[in-house]
Structures are given as C-alpha cells and as structure tokens.
Amino acid sequence: MTAPSPGRTARLAAHLPQPLRRVAARLPGALAPPVEPGTSTPRVAIIGTGFGGLGMAARLRQAGIDTFTIYEREQGVGGTWRDNTYPGAACDVPSHLYSLSFAPKADWSRKFPQQPEILGYLESLVDRFGLADHLRLGCAVEEATFDDDARCWRLRLQDGTEAEADVVVAATGQLNRPWIPAIDGRDDFTGTTFHSARWPADLDLTGRDVAVVGIGASAIQFVPEVAKQAKSLALYQRSSNYVAPKPDGPISDLARRRFERSPFLLRLYRLSIWARFESRWLLLRKGSKAGDIGRKKFEEGLRLLVSEDLPEPAVIPDYPLGCKRILISNDWYPTLMAPHVRVVTEGVERVTPGGIVAGGEERAADTIIFGTGFASTGFLMPMRVTGRNGADLHERWAAGAEAHLGMTVSGFPNLFVLYGPNTNLGHNSIIFMLERQIAYVLTCVRRLTESGDATLEVKPEAEAASNKSLVKRLDNTVWAASCHSWYKTDSGKITNNWPGPTVQYWAATAWPRAKDFVETAKPSR
Ligand code: NAP
C-alpha cells in the first residue's frame, strides 16, 4: 500500500527554503516529506491502540515508514474509549479539539463528543491510514527486554511467541488499569458489583438499590443515567468536586456542512478552542488570583444548594480549584437533589453481604459500582521492561515514574513513552500533547533512519536536569496542595501532570536536542 498523503501543509513546506522547512515541519499538523521509497527504516513496535498508538502509526505511514507493528491487548482498537462504555460516557474536551489535527473530523454530531462517536473516530483511523495489516489484536506485550549485544528489543507476547524491534513506542496510557480499594468484606457481597470501566453490556438497573463508591470524573457522568433507573441510589463520596456547567448541544447540519467545505474554518475553530482552553492554565498556578476568584464564585453558587439532605461537605470542596480535575455536567446537581438519591460523606467502613456500612450505619444495596478510578501512577504496568545491563524500569521508578520530557529514560535505548510521566493536563486537550510526542518520536526514528545507527538514548544528565526543573515548577502548581488525586503517588510525588501551558511543552519538544542523546552504531556482524 502506498503511504497516505502527508497533507497540504507538508506539500507546501517542501517548497520552502531549508531553515524555514525545518520550522514548518514542527508546526502542529505538519510533517516533513516522506522517506525515499526503498530506504531501510527501523522496526518499530507500538504498544496500544488509543489516540497515542494509532496516531503514532498514522504518522509513520505518512512518513513513508512501514516497518512497524501495533500490539493491542484487546480484540479491538480504541484504548480508554473502547474500555469505558458506561452510560453517559463522554469527553469534557470539545469535539473539534478532541481529534488528531492531521486527521480532522468535520461532522461531529455534538459540541462535546460521546464515547460511541469517539470510538467510531478511532476505529476509522485504521482504514484512513491503512493500519489493518500492521495490527496484532489480542496480543499483549508482557515483557520487553533490550538485547545489549544485538542492540534491539526482544518482546515476549501474550501468546508465548517473541518478536524483535529496534524501537519500542509504549502508548498504553495513564488510565488503563481499573483500581478498586481494598475494602473489608468486598468479596462477601452477594449482589452485582463491577468497576465503571468494566460496565456489563445490557445492564438494567431498573428498580435496584444501587451504591456508587468513588465520585470522580467517571461517576459524575454515569450517576445521572443510573439515577434514571435505580429505585434508590447511595453515593459514597469522599471528596466533593467542582462541577461547572457543560456548554453542550448538537451541532447543526449547516455548521457541519461549513466545516466540511472549509478545512481552514475547521482549523481556525479548533485553534480557537485550544487557545481558550490554554488560558485556563492561569487557574492551576499555586496561589492564582484567577483560581481564588473561581473558587469564590463556585462557593457562592454551591451554598445555595446546601440543605439538610445535602450538607456542606456533599457539595462544597475543601481544596483549591483545580487540585483535582474540574468537571463539567448539567445534570449533576439536579441528580443530587432527587428524592431517591443520597450522598454519604462518611468513609466506607466495610461491605456486607447486603450493603455498605459507613458512619456506623448499614445501607442496603443489591448493586455496587466502583467509580474509584485507575492505577494511574504505575506507568507501563504490568509489562516488564528491562533495559541496558539488565536495568528494571519499574525498580527505577519505585519512588515514582519520571522520564525526560515524559518520553525517554536513560538506560533504556530507543524506548519512547507516549502520555508518559508528567504529560497529563488539567486544562487542555491531551491530544495536543500526544501529537507533540508523536512528532518527537518520529524525528528520532528519522534520525536513526538517516544515520543508520542502532540506538538513541537520553543522557542521564539531560534526564536529571529536566526532572529537576519539573519538580521545581510542579511545586508552584495547585496540584501540590493537600488534596489527594490520581495525579500523585501515595507519597505525594506528582508523577502525572505537566506543570505548564501546552505551548511550553511544545517548545521543549519541538527539536530533540542532539546533545541530550547518545547515539550508538549497529553492532558489527
Ligand atoms: P478519579 O477521578 O480518580 O475518581 C476516583 C474517585 O474514587 C474519587 O472520587 C476518589 O475520592 C474515590 N475513591 C478512591 N478511593 C476511595 C475509597 N477508598 N473510598 C471512597 N472513595 C474513594 O477516577 P475516574 O472518575 O474514573 O476518572 C479518572 C480520570 O479519567 C479523570 O480524571 C479523567 O482524566 C478521565 N476521564 C476523563 C473524562 C473526559 O471527559 N475526558 C471522563 C471520564 C474520565 P477522592 O477524590 O477523595 O480521592
């Protein structure tokens, strides 16, 4: 199959003088001209088929690099958008920004996309970029080991077979392993119980007494839907959330036709959403004035909801705005006020065969749904990753994961992590970050192609310097405040978030700096 078109931007860039071409190639959505047909290129193993994995594969195809395989644990593509099928599942980033800039979708049906439409978009990328022949579904990579002599990676796959790769791109995400706290008596429960990311197909909750443990971004989406069916609904909420209105609604046929006719308009609209979201960074700095004003505004509105049935801790957060993800919903507070819904703010003590005990009181339940989030700080788990000289990645990360710009780790040549440590955001679209990482990895793969060398490895001093600056900047963010969130390890190290606006990440990743890397030649045969 021929490489898909690299797009108009790249074609135009090809006519620019060399220095300008280099700049143009770094613009979001741009791509340098494809490698010459017949060029020998590194074998790339991509792990995961969410936005990161599919985006990486699509960009490799556009760059004329076909020597890649995409390994996926499940039987279908889509990552988190395949796994989270709970009722009401949707994204809180507007549709036109929540897609790859180089694979725009003009016909989104709503301003904020819902799970089936996002999954449909991700699935469509397989045909759009000719990825089917590169996919190995139902094939988890269980172990990746760097072979010091051959200077390549050896992968042990779920089916017991092995594969070799020169470059490994781990695109397994931060939120792929559902987490349920160890609560006494959980195994003795006799009713139905599951995690929100493992929602049973065709589940009917009509007439049921439902308990939800954990009220975060997922729960505020599925709880209003569950409340429509359940006889009673008890919400075990340890901390309340800041929930803002969601300016959602269908997109008119006229607007869709305009976007279809004018890719420029579509780009401009996307850019305007990105710029608006980027300004929200101001809320996330420690001691931010904007954050204080925002928190006061929230409090004023939320105080009006406080009642005997809905006491202050049920609705008013006791931590700074943004310390946990700011949520959006139009039906959250109305649901809390429904007569059959109760918010329980006392901690869960134990589960009994027929319910949950909290605050010394047992409440009956025949269904318990855990909305308790994901094991978010165990990057790349449960895959075993062994680098140069037998170094174990998870041992290296025992005190909390870290990587140079979230992507590379010294001692692990040619290993790139997408959506790795400290690359999550609290204010803008993660797809922007992923695209910067994909461009960075692609540049490294091109460099290996051009040099004919075997490996690129970040220098320990470059890694240490970027992590030192990261820690300093994280200290000045709202996440350093004393709320617990999935952004931190149990010991309080912030391992998940990027401490700045996305433009700062863009600037830091625009050109992989040659002096930050050691390049190693292929072994002589
Ligand atoms: P989450 O935000 O981590 O929420 C987990 C909830 O479980 C929190 O309320 C937490 O309470 C609670 N919890 C944890 N341990 C508990 C315990 N022992 N007892 C009682 N409660 C406990 O997880 P999530 O809701 O699944 O969302 C995870 C992330 O997924 C989001 O932040 C977001 O990035 C992503 N997501 C995104 C979208 C989107 O629109 N883009 C939609 C859904 C999810 P505390 O707050 O007190 O720790």
Side-chain angles (χ1 to χ4, degrees):
M1 191 180 282
T2 55
S5 160
R8 200 151 52 138
T9 323
R11 286 201 301 276
L12 288 175
H15 299 288
L16 294 171
Q18 186 63 23
L20 283 180
R21 207 186 299 173
R22 277 167 57 86
V23 174
R26 296 302 182 278
L27 293 174
L31 191 73
V35 299
E36 289 295 323
T39 309
S40 162
T41 53
R43 298 162 298 171
V44 182
I46 300 170
I47 310 173
T49 60
F51 271 101
L54 292 178
M56 184 76 243
R59 277 314 217 185
L60 284 168
R61 287 278 292 132
Q62 285 184 323
I65 299 169
D66 272 335
T67 45
F68 65 91
T69 306
I70 319 165
Y71 297 94
E72 168 55 57
R73 181 185 60 185
E74 304 295 333
Q75 291 299 337
V77 304
T80 198
W81 297 106
R82 174 203 58 225
D83 293 345
N84 286 272
T85 57
Y86 58 76
C91 185
D92 54 13
V93 173
S95 308
H96 294 89
L97 186 57
Y98 205 69
S99 50
L100 296 163
S101 64
F102 59 90
K105 174 171 157 66
D107 63 349
W108 287 105
S109 66
R110 299 189 69 79
K111 291 183 189 153
F112 285 86
Q114 296 180 340
Q115 178 266 340
E117 197 168 6
I118 304 171
L119 182 58
Y121 169 78
L122 284 166
E123 287 170 344
S124 76
L125 297 177
V126 173
D127 281 346
R128 193 161 166 177
F129 291 96
L131 306 180
D133 292 346
H134 297 264
L135 269 175
R136 284 195 64 182
L137 297 174
C139 191
V141 176
E142 294 185 334
E143 214 172 315
T145 308
F146 187 72
D147 182 328
D148 293 289
D149 297 327
R151 290 183 200 151
C152 71
W153 285 90
R154 300 202 183 282
L155 310 179
R156 192 170 56 75
L157 309 171
Q158 190 180 359
D159 60 7
T161 60
E162 295 203 345
E164 260 184 35
D166 300 306
V167 173
V168 173
V169 182
T172 50
Q174 297 192 1
L175 303 166
N176 61 349
R177 287 182 306 131
W179 182 78
I180 297 182
I183 302 175
D184 274 354
R186 195 159 68 79
D187 293 339
D188 303 331
F189 184 63
T190 52
T192 309
T193 180
F194 54 90
H195 186 277
S196 62
R198 298 289 179 267
W199 203 272
D202 306 321
L203 178 74
D204 184 4
L205 294 171
T206 308
R208 298 241 204 146
D209 293 310
V210 180
V212 176
V213 178
I215 306 296
S218 302
I220 72 128
Q221 295 186 336
F222 68 74
V223 161
E225 301 304 315
V226 170
K228 289 176 190 161
Q229 293 189 330
K231 182 165 78 167
S232 74
L233 180 54
L235 307 177
Y236 293 85
Q237 177 184 273
R238 198 164 64 174
S239 339
S240 52
N241 296 287
Y242 288 97
V243 185
K246 183 173 185 177
D248 195 13
I251 294 174
S252 70
D253 287 346
L254 179 67
R256 281 194 266 177
R257 277 200 304 275
R258 280 199 179 135
F259 285 139
E260 265 156 5
R261 273 201 304 265
S262 171
F264 176 72
L265 186 68
L266 184 58
R267 261 182 188 274
L268 204 63
Y269 182 56
R270 179 187 171 94
L271 182 70
S272 74
I273 304 171
W274 171 79
R276 187 157 44 86
F277 272 56
E278 189 71 338
S279 70
R280 303 196 311 177
W281 167 249
L282 295 175
L283 294 171
L284 302 178
R285 290 173 316 159
K286 190 188 255 172
S288 133
K289 275 246 169 320
D292 266 0
I293 294 168
R295 185 194 154 107
K296 282 196 186 108
K297 275 235 163 296
F298 258 108
E299 253 197 70
E300 274 170 28
L302 293 176
R303 279 212 180 277
L304 303 174
L305 303 178
V306 174
S307 67
E308 203 178 314
D309 286 339
L310 215 50
E312 208 175 291
V315 283
I316 304 185
D318 60 359
Y319 53 86
L321 185 67
C323 190
K324 294 176 201 283
R325 194 175 174 91
I326 302 169
L327 309 178
I328 51 172
S329 167
N330 295 331
D331 41 15
W332 177 246
Y333 295 116
T335 302
L336 294 192
M337 287 188 282
H340 67 306
V341 177
R342 178 144 202 95
V343 184
V344 182
T345 53
E346 292 89 5
V348 172
E349 287 158 32
R350 63 180 191 281
V351 174
T352 64
I356 291 183
V357 180
E361 190 184 330
E362 179 175 359
R363 287 176 186 81
D366 53 35
T367 308
I368 302 178
I369 306 171
F370 287 94
T372 42
F374 299 84
S376 54
T377 54
F379 292 83
L380 267 57
M381 288 281 214
M383 189 168 54
R384 187 155 180 215
V385 184
T386 310
R388 241 179 346 95
N389 301 322
D392 181 288
L393 185 64
H394 296 303
E395 268 173 32
R396 170 78 77 83
W397 283 350
E402 47 187 42
H404 179 58
L405 301 171
M407 287 182 276
T408 53
V409 185
S410 59
F412 296 82
N414 286 3
L415 171 69
F416 297 92
V417 186
L418 301 184
Y419 196 19
N422 296 104
T423 61
N424 180 56
L425 300 173
H427 72 292
N428 211 333
S429 172
I430 187 59
I431 294 174
F432 182 91
M433 300 292 273
L434 279 171
E435 285 200 41
R436 307 287 61 76
Q437 293 159 9
I438 289 167
Y440 189 95
V441 177
L442 190 54
T443 306
C444 293
V445 172
R446 281 178 186 275
R447 187 127 97 210
L448 289 171
T449 304
E450 282 157 20
S451 66
D453 279 341
T455 64
L456 274 174
E457 181 184 332
V458 69
K459 292 181 183 167
E461 54 272 29
E463 188 185 357
S466 66
N467 283 318
K468 194 169 161 202
S469 134
L470 191 82
V471 169
K472 220 163 115 194
R473 285 182 295 137
L474 281 166
D475 263 354
N476 287 318
T477 66
V478 73
W479 308 306
S482 60
C483 70
H484 30 82
S485 74
W486 64 266
Y487 305 152
K488 308 175 190 176
T489 61
D490 290 342
S491 65
K493 178 173 173 173
I494 305 167
T495 51
N496 292 63
N497 285 10
W498 170 251
T502 63
V503 276
Q504 203 174 39
Y505 190 71
W506 180 12
T509 54
W511 283 275
R513 296 193 311 179
K515 68 183 175 80
D516 288 345
F517 289 88
V518 181
E519 218 158 328
T520 318
K522 286 195 176 127
S524 44
R525 296 189 188 269

